[in-house]
Amino acid sequence: GIAKKYWSSIDKEYNYFSISHSNFIKPYKNIKRLLKNLIKRKFKISIITSKNYERTNEILHKYFNNIKFSIVITPDDVKIGRGKPFPDSLYLACLKTGVSLDQTIFIGDMYSDYLFAKNCKVNFIHAKWGYSKENLNAISVENINYLEKLFNL
């Protein structure tokens, strides 16, 4: 692995590069419609991300400034080293939004998201339109339209 003394400089460089290239990020087709419809139906929508606060805020401001998320949790909100796949961030989101674990559905597009949901003991939906196309032992949806059908939107 990489020596701990290099972590901070690598993290700074990675975050700088990521923010300076945020114009390459494109929201998935129909994601804003889905989020607005879920919020309209009184779902509490939280974001739990591995991106730091600065990068997350940049993306949300640029692409989702008209979406009212219930809470946004980044690694900056939990103890160092306790981000995903540790359950701390989801537990914090549930605590702050008043949503119980048994009422929580975590939607993710990577195997690490699946493991995170399992560690948190919450339901998981695999968004196959994202990075990971592998078959997981979970409900999988091919695109946002399928997710809308699943939620009867």
Side-chain angles (χ1 to χ4, degrees), residues 126-139:
H126 180 208
K128 288 184 95 169
W129 63 81
Y131 290 108
S132 174
K133 309 297 185 220
E134 62 190 298
N135 291 319
L136 303 176
N137 187 20
I139 295 172

Side-chain angles (χ1 to χ4, degrees), residues 4 12 38 48 84 94 116 137 153:
K4 195 172 188 175
K12 281 182 185 176
L38 287 169
I48 299 173
K84 293 192 294 184
C94 287
F116 175 65
N137 187 20
L153 299 177

Side-chain angles (χ1 to χ4, degrees), residues 6 14 23 51 70 75-76 84 93 132-134 141 152-153:
Y6 299 114
Y14 175 76
N23 56 317
K51 292 174 182 61
S70 299
D76 302 319
K84 293 192 294 184
S132 174
K133 309 297 185 220
E134 62 190 298
V141 290
N152 294 316
L153 299 177

Side-chain angles (χ1 to χ4, degrees), residues 41-81:
R41 297 236 348 252
K42 307 293 184 211
F43 282 82
K44 292 184 180 179
I45 308 296
S46 300
I47 293 179
I48 299 173
T49 181
S50 297
K51 292 174 182 61
N52 72 5
Y53 174 80
E54 186 181 4
R55 290 172 51 212
T56 301
N57 195 43
E58 170 91 12
I59 293 165
L60 293 179
H61 181 71
K62 188 172 188 174
Y63 297 107
F64 299 97
N65 63 344
N66 61 346
I67 304 289
K68 178 75 171 113
F69 295 100
S70 299
I71 194 163
V72 177
I73 304 287
T74 72
D76 302 319
D77 297 308
V78 295
K79 186 176 176 182
I80 293 175

